[in-house]
Amino acid sequence: MAMPGITATDPSAPLARRRWLALAAPVFGLMIVGLDATILTVALPTLATDLEATTTELQWFTDGYTLPFAGLLLPLGVLGDRIGRRLVLIGGLLLFGVGSAMVMAVDSPDGLIVARVVMGAGAAAITPLALGMVPLMSLPRSGRRRWRSPPAGSPWAFRSVHWPADGC
């Protein structure tokens, strides 16, 4: 895979490839967190019938993920900054995986709620660390201090917000 600005004889070519491969971990982590946050909405009718869940239990299926996610997002981000982003990110991925495995073996609404709490805690570790690692991995060391995000009013921000409404 050719990298922009890097030739085949460039000694930094293996480093560039490793950067792209390392980028796969945070991207994968954010993908599973986003997928899990949205897929439950599609599965709720099936879960209601298969698990014979009440309306309150259906609400807890969603809240069991959202509450630990929201409550642990900041503390786990700080923990990752203090003891190492990689360590906490891997721990979050493992915790999320354990929660996913628990979901496969669930046969009651209470078991699903517990599994969703575990998954929410794992997602809280994945999200801030993955988002914090991406800018550090995508720029060479010399450019890190000069890099700035585009202003909020930039065309990119406007387009990303309005793109779904445009129907394009």
Side-chain angles (χ1 to χ4, degrees), residues 29-138:
L30 289 173
M31 182 186 73
I32 62 171
V33 168
L35 181 66
D36 188 68
T38 57
I39 198 68
L40 184 69
T41 307
V42 176
L44 276 177
T46 307
L47 290 172
T49 345
D50 290 354
L51 297 177
E52 299 173 3
T54 65
T55 306
T56 305
E57 289 167 334
L58 290 174
Q59 185 65 43
W60 272 107
F61 292 166
T62 304
D63 292 346
Y65 181 86
T66 307
L67 289 174
F69 178 75
L72 294 173
L73 198 63
L74 237 50
L76 290 176
V78 170
L79 182 67
D81 288 340
R82 294 190 187 227
I83 68 168
R85 291 181 178 136
R86 181 178 176 197
L87 180 67
V88 177
L89 178 64
I90 291 171
L93 288 168
L94 288 173
L95 191 60
F96 195 90
V98 166
S100 297
M102 290 170 60
V103 166
M104 291 190 299
V106 107
D107 60 350
S108 70
D110 293 336
L112 183 60
I113 293 168
V114 169
R116 296 284 296 168
V117 167
V118 172
M119 291 171 74
I126 295 168
T127 302
L129 301 173
L131 291 174
M133 289 170 68
V134 170
L136 297 176
M137 292 173 16
S138 62

Side-chain angles (χ1 to χ4, degrees), residues 9 15 17-18 22 26 80 92 97 110 113 117 121-122 135 140 144 152 162 168:
T9 58
L15 177 63
R17 263 191 220 105
R18 282 194 312 227
D110 293 336
I113 293 168
V117 167
R144 286 186 189 165
H162 293 287
C168 296

